[in-house]
Amino acid sequence: MMTCIMLVNAERQQIASVAEQLAAMSHVSEVYSVSGQYDLVAVIQVSGPEALSALVTHALAAVNGIVRTETMLSLRTYRKQDLDTMFDIGTS
Amino acid sequence: MMTCIMLVNAERQQIASVAEQLAAMSHVSEVYSVSGQYDLVAVIQVSGPEALSALVTHALAAVNGIVRTETMLSLRTYRKQDLDTMFDIGTS
Amino acid sequence: MMTCIMLVNAERQQIASVAEQLAAMSHVSEVYSVSGQYDLVAVIQVSGPEALSALVTHALAAVNGIVRTETMLSLRTYRKQDLDTMFDIGTS
Amino acid sequence: MMTCIMLVNAERQQIASVAEQLAAMSHVSEVYSVSGQYDLVAVIQVSGPEALSALVTHALAAVNGIVRTETMLSLRTYRKQDLDTMFDIGTS
Amino acid sequence: MMTCIMLVNAERQQIASVAEQLAAMSHVSEVYSVSGQYDLVAVIQVSGPEALSALVTHALAAVNGIVRTETMLSLRTYRKQDLDTMFDIGTS
Amino acid sequence: MMTCIMLVNAERQQIASVAEQLAAMSHVSEVYSVSGQYDLVAVIQVSGPEALSALVTHALAAVNGIVRTETMLSLRTYRKQDLDTMFDIGTS
Amino acid sequence: MMTCIMLVNAERQQIASVAEQLAAMSHVSEVYSVSGQYDLVAVIQVSGPEALSALVTHALAAVNGIVRTETMLSLRTYRKQDLDTMFDIGTS
Amino acid sequence: MMTCIMLVNAERQQIASVAEQLAAMSHVSEVYSVSGQYDLVAVIQVSGPEALSALVTHALAAVNGIVRTETMLSLRTYRKQDLDTMFDIGTS
Amino acid sequence: MMTCIMLVNAERQQIASVAEQLAAMSHVSEVYSVSGQYDLVAVIQVSGPEALSALVTHALAAVNGIVRTETMLSLRTYRKQDLDTMFDIGTS
Amino acid sequence: MMTCIMLVNAERQQIASVAEQLAAMSHVSEVYSVSGQYDLVAVIQVSGPEALSALVTHALAAVNGIVRTETMLSLRTYRKQDLDTMFDIGTS
């Protein structure tokens, strides 16, 4: 599994609806509305690059109200101890 | 509890060591090295603004190799079902 | 209580009306029209992140004439003596 | 009296000390450490432009740890009712 | 009196007309079309912040063709000899 | 004569001294310390491009404390009534 | 032959279609959808500057959905062993 | 004579037509379509600032397809030997 | 295999040596020196995120002369005909 | 022959010396000191990409005082009539 963190800017009037549309997507585990220069941060879990491509170029393309996205691939996780939690990218 | 997502740029030679120093901090739950214009994304859990202030102005100030940080307060979580996991900002 | 400082860019013709709409909001204590690259600075007092989320994604979304906002959470106040004044974030 | 709002970026290790040095200055009423791309927001009250010039080019010049400042003149205050509070720029 | 210097970007087809509309305003003493990243520089004389606020949020709001303005308050003048009038560089 | 308006960023500790060094130069008529993202605005009068080149590459090069300059050539002046001298805004 | 690498930003809903239109062009050898601030990277092979000019100002101009392109001329290739063809990384 | 170099961004579909409209102008000696973040570079020869003002605010304003221009005044030419060529800004 | 495209800015005096150091790395297939705002473009082939993390945080950290890198994960390849190898553009 | 236009930012104290060092280079036909955000514009004539690579990574690397360069390849020239002048990229 590949974890990605996506920074999202949305139309001001559609921040909540964009968050809900993203959160409803199968590959999206969490979406946070945040303070600062971005509006949302989405945590994405995909099988690999092609799955991420399909998500970006097709699923996200259908979401109304997104102004801009910037996807960061999570390369390695650093944490005190291995938690079997949401961010757990445990292998299948 | 307040969840914050911190975008971090680090000195090129110290990305791994900065990630480890951050992950060792009590208020930091996860740190991800990422592709793109930022180097690390840290997930922070604090009791409130004052605790975040102490973390930023004291604990982080002692971490060698940080070039720049930008802290985003997580305002609200949107996800399919409420998981009692890492990002769970549930009280108690 | 959580104090936030919001930098606002507004449509040129609607700076005054945006300022008035913001100032009328319950969580907004002051709004200043300012010189420089921003148009307005709003001082916000909310109970916590969720209240700020509701303000940003719903109340602000209804204000016509806002081009862009950037919300900064006030982490800690530094001042000569504790005044029981507007910016007082005295604990309950 | 003229109210100014100053956005400040400080050296990471000196955010707290810069905040304290600013707050100790006679013309500075409040200093907030904040989340986001800036580190501090200072609220300044001066008699006029010349006093602000003296503050910026002399008093601030002596503060160690400031990386960059951007001063915004407050042109007009918009708030629900006139409070005789910290931000009160009541006429002499 | 307070002197301000306003950097102006205008619609390409309306640089001249914006310059003329600004120059006709009572508080505007000179307007220069300039090379570089800005289109116009306007020199403004106002009694104080509130007058500047009225100019920015009302008079300027009515000028067609302005894309963006950035107002700088002149804090102090430095020149070889003190001339009675502001910006007086009368040739011998 | 050619009028130029130069935007100047200076070292924080040397804003006043840079302003004084510039104001002492023969081709510089006025220097203003200003609020906002720039520190100084200098008004320059030169005979033509070569004189401006000499000013920028030699005279200014010798001024300690300048971080960055951006020179704008004034193309045309727009003002209510045509005054003999450049920048003459003498009050009645 | 001249190799160019073109960074492309496309309308969110048209990333895939822009990629396909580019890949179908004779001078375009590969197009990659990518993570990060750009959407696509196109590898272009042309006989010289004039051919690149025709591609940019005519062929690309006809592609719907391109927001912005930035073309970089490849000056020199550095790789472990000299392969006959440009970009040949055939696996064992 | 004054030589200016103008950096031009044009609508993607109108790069060639903008180049041709500019090249047809009396004061424009050459126009180059270029790679990189700008689309065109125009070399302009004018008698002085007022002529440049007329060119920018009137002639260029009539050219369809220009998104943004940034004009740089050539202050001084440095070259191996004085060539009686296009860029020759020789006195009358 | 995962293909990544890395944009690199290098110290001016070390562009060639950085290119050679990168090209010598096992996971780097090609490095191009390029015109424009970046200095080099490196094509990288890794087994997955962890391998990319090791490359970025360790191998690249040891390369002298790199100022900044921005890594883009290639999500999907679009090209006229499916060639056996990644980036194979062998002429007939 | 390939014509390139290079935008150069130089150390403030070394603008003239950088211009002279560049103008002395065989492939550089003209160098202009300019107003605005750049300091110099150099016109370069090279046989092809490899010659430009040698110029950028070796000859320019030896020039003291250059802060940053951005090279634009001239794709096509648009001018009223073909002049056999400096910018003439006429085929041999």
Side-chain angles (χ1 to χ4, degrees):
Chain A
M1 289 300 280
M2 226 169 65
T3 300
C4 300
I5 298 173
M6 183 185 284
L7 304 171
V8 182
N9 285 101
E11 298 294 351
R12 267 192 335 104
Q13 291 81 357
Q14 293 175 284
I15 295 174
S17 93
V18 167
E20 280 144 16
Q21 293 177 71
L22 292 178
M25 291 185 181
S26 57
H27 295 295
V28 179
S29 49
E30 257 101 34
V31 179
Y32 302 88
S33 63
V34 291
S35 69
Q37 60 170 306
Y38 301 105
D39 298 309
L40 302 171
V41 175
V43 180
I44 293 167
Q45 303 271 342
V46 283
S47 56
E50 289 268 341
L52 183 56
S53 171
L55 183 74
V56 169
T57 52
H58 297 298
L60 286 185
V63 176
N64 269 326
I66 290 181
V67 172
R68 191 177 158 272
T69 65
E70 191 164 329
T71 307
M72 306 181 287
L73 171 66
S74 161
L75 307 183
R76 195 184 144 185
T77 314
Y78 299 81
R79 57 179 187 274
K80 280 174 250 358
Q81 77 300 346
D82 212 13
L83 300 180
D84 189 13
T85 61
M86 197 55 208
F87 259 50
D88 177 353
I89 61 166
T91 58
S92 64
Chain B
M1 289 298 281
M2 227 169 64
T3 300
C4 301
I5 298 174
M6 183 185 284
L7 303 171
V8 182
N9 284 102
E11 298 293 351
R12 267 191 337 105
Q13 291 80 359
Q14 295 175 283
I15 294 173
S17 93
V18 167
E20 280 143 18
Q21 294 177 71
L22 292 178
M25 292 184 181
S26 57
H27 295 296
V28 178
S29 50
E30 261 99 33
V31 179
Y32 301 87
S33 63
V34 291
S35 68
Q37 59 170 307
Y38 303 105
D39 297 310
L40 302 171
V41 175
V43 180
I44 293 167
Q45 301 272 342
V46 283
S47 55
E50 290 268 340
L52 183 57
S53 169
L55 183 75
V56 169
T57 53
H58 297 298
L60 286 186
V63 176
N64 268 324
I66 290 181
V67 172
R68 191 176 158 272
T69 65
E70 191 163 330
T71 307
M72 307 182 285
L73 170 67
S74 161
L75 306 183
R76 193 183 144 187
T77 314
Y78 300 80
R79 57 178 185 274
K80 281 174 241 8
Q81 76 302 344
D82 211 18
L83 300 180
D84 191 15
T85 61
M86 194 55 209
F87 259 49
D88 178 354
I89 62 169
T91 59
S92 79
Chain C
M1 288 298 281
M2 226 168 65
T3 300
C4 301
I5 298 174
M6 183 185 283
L7 304 171
V8 182
N9 285 101
E11 298 293 352
R12 263 190 342 102
Q13 291 80 358
Q14 294 176 284
I15 294 174
S17 93
V18 167
E20 280 145 16
Q21 293 177 72
L22 291 178
M25 291 185 181
S26 58
H27 295 296
V28 178
S29 51
E30 259 102 36
V31 179
Y32 302 88
S33 64
V34 290
S35 68
Q37 59 169 308
Y38 301 106
D39 298 311
L40 302 171
V41 175
V43 180
I44 293 167
Q45 302 272 339
V46 282
S47 56
E50 289 266 342
L52 183 57
S53 171
L55 183 74
V56 169
T57 52
H58 297 298
L60 286 186
V63 175
N64 268 325
I66 291 181
V67 172
R68 192 179 157 272
T69 65
E70 191 164 330
T71 307
M72 307 181 286
L73 171 66
S74 161
L75 306 182
R76 195 183 143 187
T77 313
Y78 300 81
R79 57 176 186 273
K80 281 175 246 0
Q81 76 304 341
D82 212 16
L83 300 179
D84 189 14
T85 61
M86 197 55 207
F87 260 52
D88 178 352
I89 60 166
T91 57
S92 61
Chain D
M1 287 299 281
M2 227 168 64
T3 300
C4 300
I5 298 174
M6 183 184 284
L7 304 171
V8 182
N9 284 101
E11 298 293 352
R12 264 191 339 104
Q13 291 81 357
Q14 294 174 283
I15 293 173
S17 93
V18 167
E20 280 144 18
Q21 293 176 71
L22 292 177
M25 292 183 180
S26 57
H27 295 297
V28 177
S29 50
E30 259 102 35
V31 180
Y32 302 87
S33 63
V34 291
S35 68
Q37 60 169 308
Y38 302 105
D39 297 311
L40 302 171
V41 175
V43 180
I44 293 167
Q45 302 271 341
V46 282
S47 56
E50 290 265 343
L52 183 56
S53 170
L55 182 74
V56 169
T57 52
H58 297 297
L60 286 185
V63 175
N64 268 323
I66 291 182
V67 173
R68 191 177 159 274
T69 65
E70 191 164 330
T71 307
M72 307 181 286
L73 170 66
S74 161
L75 306 182
R76 194 183 143 186
T77 314
Y78 299 81
R79 56 178 187 273
K80 283 173 229 35
Q81 76 303 341
D82 210 18
L83 301 180
D84 190 15
T85 60
M86 199 53 203
F87 259 50
D88 179 352
I89 60 167
T91 59
S92 64
Chain E
M1 289 298 280
M2 225 169 65
T3 300
C4 301
I5 298 173
M6 184 184 283
L7 304 171
V8 182
N9 284 102
E11 298 292 352
R12 266 191 339 104
Q13 290 80 359
Q14 294 174 285
I15 294 174
S17 93
V18 168
E20 280 144 17
Q21 293 177 71
L22 292 178
M25 290 184 181
S26 58
H27 295 297
V28 178
S29 52
E30 262 99 34
V31 180
Y32 300 87
S33 63
V34 290
S35 68
Q37 59 170 308
Y38 302 105
D39 297 311
L40 302 171
V41 175
V43 180
I44 292 167
Q45 300 275 332
V46 280
S47 56
E50 288 266 341
L52 183 57
S53 170
L55 182 74
V56 169
T57 52
H58 297 297
L60 285 186
V63 175
N64 268 324
I66 291 182
V67 173
R68 193 178 156 272
T69 65
E70 192 165 329
T71 306
M72 306 181 286
L73 170 66
S74 161
L75 305 183
R76 194 184 142 185
T77 314
Y78 299 80
R79 54 180 188 276
K80 282 175 237 15
Q81 73 302 342
D82 207 18
L83 300 182
D84 286 354
T85 61
M86 202 59 196
F87 269 53
D88 174 352
I89 58 164
T91 58
S92 65
Chain F
M1 288 298 281
M2 223 167 67
T3 300
C4 300
I5 298 173
M6 183 184 284
L7 304 171
V8 182
N9 285 101
E11 299 292 352
R12 265 190 339 104
Q13 291 80 358
Q14 296 175 282
I15 294 174
S17 93
V18 167
E20 280 145 17
Q21 294 176 72
L22 291 177
M25 291 184 180
S26 58
H27 294 297
V28 178
S29 51
E30 263 98 32
V31 180
Y32 301 88
S33 64
V34 289
S35 68
Q37 60 169 307
Y38 302 105
D39 297 311
L40 301 171
V41 175
V43 180
I44 293 168
Q45 299 276 331
V46 282
S47 55
E50 289 266 343
L52 183 57
S53 171
L55 183 73
V56 169
T57 52
H58 297 298
L60 286 186
V63 175
N64 268 323
I66 291 182
V67 172
R68 192 179 158 274
T69 65
E70 190 165 331
T71 307
M72 306 182 286
L73 169 66
S74 160
L75 306 182
R76 194 184 142 183
T77 314
Y78 298 80
R79 56 181 186 279
K80 281 175 229 39
Q81 77 298 348
D82 207 19
L83 300 184
D84 286 353
T85 61
M86 205 60 196
F87 270 53
D88 174 355
I89 61 163
T91 57
S92 65
Chain G
M1 288 299 279
M2 225 168 65
T3 300
C4 300
I5 298 174
M6 183 185 282
L7 304 171
V8 182
N9 284 102
E11 299 293 351
R12 267 193 334 106
Q13 290 81 357
Q14 294 175 283
I15 295 174
S17 94
V18 167
E20 280 145 16
Q21 293 177 71
L22 293 178
M25 291 183 180
S26 57
H27 295 296
V28 178
S29 50
E30 260 99 32
V31 180
Y32 302 87
S33 63
V34 291
S35 68
Q37 61 170 307
Y38 301 105
D39 297 310
L40 302 171
V41 175
V43 180
I44 293 168
Q45 299 276 331
V46 282
S47 56
E50 289 266 342
L52 183 57
S53 170
L55 183 74
V56 169
T57 52
H58 297 299
L60 285 186
V63 175
N64 269 324
I66 291 182
V67 172
R68 191 176 158 273
T69 65
E70 190 163 329
T71 307
M72 306 182 286
L73 170 66
S74 161
L75 306 182
R76 195 183 143 187
T77 315
Y78 299 80
R79 56 180 187 273
K80 281 176 237 16
Q81 77 298 352
D82 207 20
L83 300 182
D84 287 353
T85 63
M86 203 62 200
F87 269 51
D88 173 353
I89 59 162
T91 57
S92 65
Chain H
M1 288 299 280
M2 226 169 63
T3 299
C4 301
I5 298 174
M6 183 184 283
L7 303 171
V8 182
N9 284 103
E11 299 292 353
R12 265 194 336 105
Q13 290 80 358
Q14 294 175 284
I15 294 174
S17 94
V18 167
E20 281 145 17
Q21 293 177 71
L22 292 178
M25 291 184 181
S26 58
H27 295 297
V28 178
S29 50
E30 259 100 34
V31 180
Y32 301 87
S33 63
V34 290
S35 68
Q37 60 169 307
Y38 300 106
D39 297 310
L40 301 171
V41 174
V43 179
I44 293 167
Q45 302 270 343
V46 281
S47 56
E50 289 265 342
L52 182 57
S53 170
L55 182 75
V56 169
T57 53
H58 297 298
L60 285 186
V63 175
N64 268 323
I66 291 181
V67 172
R68 191 178 158 273
T69 65
E70 191 165 329
T71 307
M72 307 182 285
L73 170 66
S74 161
L75 306 182
R76 193 183 144 187
T77 314
Y78 298 81
R79 55 178 187 274
K80 286 177 225 32
Q81 75 302 346
D82 210 16
L83 300 181
D84 188 15
T85 62
M86 199 54 208
F87 259 51
D88 180 353
I89 61 168
T91 60
S92 67
Chain I
M1 288 297 281
M2 226 168 65
T3 300
C4 301
I5 299 173
M6 184 185 283
L7 304 171
V8 182
N9 284 102
E11 298 293 351
R12 266 192 337 104
Q13 290 81 358
Q14 295 175 283
I15 294 174
S17 93
V18 167
E20 281 144 17
Q21 294 177 70
L22 292 177
M25 292 184 181
S26 57
H27 295 296
V28 178
S29 51
E30 261 98 29
V31 180
Y32 301 87
S33 64
V34 290
S35 68
Q37 59 170 306
Y38 302 104
D39 297 311
L40 301 172
V41 175
V43 180
I44 293 169
Q45 299 275 332
V46 283
S47 55
E50 289 266 341
L52 183 57
S53 170
L55 183 75
V56 169
T57 52
H58 298 298
L60 286 186
V63 175
N64 268 326
I66 290 182
V67 172
R68 191 176 158 274
T69 65
E70 191 164 330
T71 308
M72 307 182 285
L73 170 66
S74 161
L75 307 182
R76 194 184 143 185
T77 313
Y78 299 82
R79 57 179 186 279
K80 281 174 234 25
Q81 77 297 350
D82 207 18
L83 301 183
D84 287 353
T85 62
M86 202 60 193
F87 269 54
D88 175 354
I89 60 164
T91 57
S92 65
Chain J
M1 289 297 283
M2 225 168 64
T3 300
C4 301
I5 298 174
M6 184 184 283
L7 304 170
V8 182
N9 284 102
E11 298 293 351
R12 265 190 341 104
Q13 292 80 358
Q14 295 176 283
I15 294 174
S17 94
V18 167
E20 280 145 16
Q21 294 177 69
L22 292 177
M25 291 184 181
S26 57
H27 295 296
V28 178
S29 51
E30 260 102 34
V31 180
Y32 301 88
S33 63
V34 290
S35 68
Q37 59 170 306
Y38 302 104
D39 297 311
L40 302 171
V41 175
V43 181
I44 293 167
Q45 303 270 340
V46 283
S47 56
E50 290 266 343
L52 182 57
S53 170
L55 182 74
V56 169
T57 51
H58 298 298
L60 286 186
V63 176
N64 269 323
I66 291 182
V67 172
R68 192 179 157 273
T69 65
E70 191 164 329
T71 306
M72 307 182 285
L73 170 66
S74 161
L75 306 182
R76 195 185 143 185
T77 315
Y78 298 81
R79 55 178 186 272
K80 282 173 233 31
Q81 77 299 346
D82 211 17
L83 301 183
D84 188 14
T85 60
M86 198 55 208
F87 259 49
D88 179 352
I89 61 166
T91 60
S92 65

